[in-house]
Amino acid sequence: MKKCILCLGSGGIRGFTHIGVLKALQEHQINVQAYFGTSVGSLVSVFAASGLSALEIEKKALSIKPFQLLDLTFPKNGFIKGEKLKTYVEENISEKNIEDLKIPVRIIATNSKTGTAVIFKSGLISERVQASCAIPNIFRPTEIDGVEYLDGDLKSPVPMLIARNEFRNEIIVGVNIIARIDQAPRNHRKWSRWVAKDIYRRSLVDHEKSAADIYMDIDIGYFGNVLGDWPMQQIEIGYQETLKIIPKLKQLLVTV
């Protein structure tokens, strides 16, 4: 029996989709043996690796209040400090360090000085998740041991190649929740900025997706309202899309 290695990608509030992926996998008794997470994918990964079920993660995610994770500050390389996110992780996960989690997790961030991807395998969970989620110009860079880190999305939005390099003979499943370029509203004043960003991010994903045995590019639309029904809709879409790949995944896991 081979191992299922799950790579959960970046996407901000689109990350509710990852919960639906977990629900489908758990429902069909597919055990994830290691998580690789970038940005919001790292947040969902550490919750799952701590032993929480998808339903428990869903309950926590849907109960988050507006600005519960956002601590606005005077702009200085970002107008959100990220300390609330760090505290939220500390309060909701009993384990302190990555190496203490029940299931192995790799958290991806970007070294702001060298521009290289960094793979966190140990150290404070909350601090590493904060670093992985440090979206440039929105969140302030996260300093760890004198080094500043930014969002892992800058180098590896869905860390499938990183996972393959570590687990060469296992089954890699990549989950991409980046917005579709052609769905960006053409008449909006920020259209070109959004498209440029998503083209860049998708080019990084395209470079890695051949490393995955199963690659999911989940379409949840371009915009949504986190205060409305959109989070539940995302979870349902993630769940339904994952159901489609379950037969193939089960077959791959038993392949010698």
Side-chain angles (χ1 to χ4, degrees), residues 150-165:
L150 290 168
D151 195 344
D153 175 82
L154 294 169
K155 295 298 292 185
S156 184
V158 188
M160 296 169 285
L161 185 57
I162 293 173
R164 176 60 68 200
N165 288 337

Side-chain angles (χ1 to χ4, degrees), residues 17-34:
T17 310
H18 290 322
I19 301 173
V21 174
L22 295 179
K23 287 178 72 174
L25 293 177
Q26 291 179 11
E27 182 179 284
H28 287 267
Q29 299 180 326
I30 294 176
N31 297 319
V32 177
Q33 301 297 313

Side-chain angles (χ1 to χ4, degrees), residues 76-138:
K76 181 183 178 183
N77 297 323
F79 55 85
I80 298 174
K81 290 187 289 186
E83 291 298 321
K84 282 189 175 182
L85 172 61
K86 180 181 177 182
T87 299
Y88 180 79
V89 174
E90 292 171 343
E91 291 176 346
N92 286 275
I93 296 180
S94 58
E95 293 84 358
K96 182 178 181 181
N97 295 313
I98 296 173
E99 60 268 33
D100 298 329
L101 290 165
K102 295 176 178 62
I103 302 172
V105 173
R106 306 294 183 249
I107 295 174
I108 315 304
T110 303
N111 184 311
S112 66
K113 185 175 182 179
T114 64
T116 55
V118 177
I119 308 165
F120 289 120
K121 301 180 180 182
S122 60
L124 288 174
I125 297 169
S126 59
E127 203 171 50
R128 272 64 180 173
V129 169
Q130 181 186 5
S132 185
C133 294
I135 304 170
N137 298 317
I138 297 179

Side-chain angles (χ1 to χ4, degrees), residues 124-189:
L124 288 174
I125 297 169
S126 59
E127 203 171 50
R128 272 64 180 173
V129 169
Q130 181 186 5
S132 185
C133 294
I135 304 170
N137 298 317
I138 297 179
F139 282 83
R140 286 186 177 179
T142 300
E143 184 175 321
I144 302 174
D145 298 329
V147 179
E148 288 189 330
Y149 296 94
L150 290 168
D151 195 344
D153 175 82
L154 294 169
K155 295 298 292 185
S156 184
V158 188
M160 296 169 285
L161 185 57
I162 293 173
R164 176 60 68 200
N165 288 337
E166 182 172 348
F167 293 93
R168 294 190 176 277
N169 299 313
E170 308 301 345
I171 304 304
I172 308 295
V173 178
V175 183
N176 180 18
I177 55 173
I178 296 172
R180 302 289 177 91
I181 298 166
D182 61 348
Q183 293 178 351
R186 185 63 180 83
N187 295 324
H188 197 284
R189 61 184 178 84

Side-chain angles (χ1 to χ4, degrees), residues 174-180 202 205-206 209 214-220 241:
V175 183
N176 180 18
I177 55 173
I178 296 172
R180 302 289 177 91
R202 283 189 166 273
V205 175
D206 287 343
K209 66 184 182 182
I214 295 178
Y215 169 68
M216 301 172 63
D217 188 357
I218 301 180
D219 181 5
I220 53 176
E241 289 300 307

Side-chain angles (χ1 to χ4, degrees), residues 191-206:
W191 174 82
S192 59
R193 184 190 306 176
W194 289 332
V195 168
K197 180 179 179 181
D198 290 335
I199 287 175
Y200 168 72
R201 296 168 72 205
R202 283 189 166 273
S203 70
L204 295 176
V205 175
D206 287 343

